[in-house]
Amino acid sequence: MTDLSEKTKGFIFNLDGVIVDTAKYHYIAWRRLADEMGVDFPIEQHEQLRSLSRMESLEKILEWGGLYMTEAEKLHWADVKNNWYQALVANMTPDEVFPGVLSFLDEVRRSGGKTALSSASRNARTVLKSTHLEPYFDVILDGSAARKSKPHPECFLLAATALNMAPSECIVFDDAVLGVQAALNGGFHIIGIGKAEYLPDAERVIPGFADCHLADILDLVYKGASLTMADAE
Ligand code: G1P
């Protein structure tokens, strides 16, 4: 068992693209909407939607296409996309949880740490339920919790408060540029998830939680391990 540093007891996770591969379902639904509107939306561009709210994501796609919509039309199409997304995630199962996530969450809690899920998605609870992930989190905040969007740190500050911890006692795990910036803005330790080249602001990036142990993460954060685990691959 890893002896948790006195300094870190809180572990805050984004959902889409960090815990489960729902980012692909968001892309499929946004891509279908963009196609309906004749807006070109290659998958590389989806990086720019990561961590945006539903309405912000729609407005970004409209901007790319140089399209105008009334507020009523935006609400309608955001709802249409959401229905498509919900149909895609309705049949998710626990085997869509990313490799290593469950064992990492288990290890954190066996070591006395607390876990929080903080997502900008208003569908986060649905996804957690269908993948049987709810019991792994001490705190769950979905897209209805924070008023301000990333890179504002509100979503992570609310999670730290709910864990009864200071930001400096918490490590945030996020896969998006805006998520990394939000964590840094809030005074959190941050571990980027994915490719280091996509997360230039994250001092430390890991590809995911496969073969990842708590001691590795604490070394990365506190001993300033020179290599990110992605580099070590
Ligand atoms: C919203 C966006 C989605 C984004 C997610 C997390 O999810 O629609 O593109 O990835 O927030 O930032 P929703 O609330 O629609 O489930």
Side-chain angles (χ1 to χ4, degrees), residues 82-161:
N82 191 48
N83 292 335
W84 289 338
Y85 175 72
Q86 288 183 335
L88 289 167
V89 300
N91 303 315
M92 282 187 79
T93 64
D95 62 21
E96 295 196 63
V97 177
F98 278 133
V101 164
L102 297 184
S103 52
F104 185 76
L105 291 169
D106 256 344
E107 188 182 4
V108 165
R109 299 179 96 190
R110 274 186 285 108
S111 302
K114 296 276 186 196
T115 56
L117 188 285
S118 179
S119 170
S121 170
R122 290 170 181 266
N123 288 296
R125 288 182 181 280
T126 303
V127 171
L128 292 176
K129 204 181 287 294
S130 56
T131 51
H132 303 176
L133 278 166
E134 289 171 305
Y136 286 86
F137 295 100
D138 298 290
V139 167
I140 296 173
L141 298 174
D142 68 8
S144 61
R147 293 274 165 272
K148 301 184 185 82
S149 300
K150 298 171 184 174
H152 190 287
E154 187 186 12
C155 63
F156 297 136
L157 294 172
L158 289 171
T161 301

Side-chain angles (χ1 to χ4, degrees), residues 14 16 22-23 26-27 30 46 49-55 57-58 78 81-82 85 119-124 143 150:
N14 184 21
D16 300 320
T22 39
H26 279 300
Y27 175 68
W30 283 124
H46 190 231
L49 297 190
R50 285 180 189 269
S51 276
L52 294 183
S53 71
R54 191 179 310 163
M55 192 52 78
S57 302
L58 173 59
K81 181 268 176 184
N82 191 48
Y85 175 72
S119 170
S121 170
R122 290 170 181 266
N123 288 296
K150 298 171 184 174

Side-chain angles (χ1 to χ4, degrees), residues 168-179:
S168 60
E169 295 176 295
C170 300
I171 300 175
V172 168
F173 299 86
D174 203 302
D175 67 323
V177 169
L178 291 174

Side-chain angles (χ1 to χ4, degrees), residues 9 62 73 78 100 116 127 145 204 211 213 220:
K9 289 261 188 285
L62 293 175
E73 287 167 328
V127 171
R204 295 164 181 83
D211 305 320
H213 298 284
L220 274 178

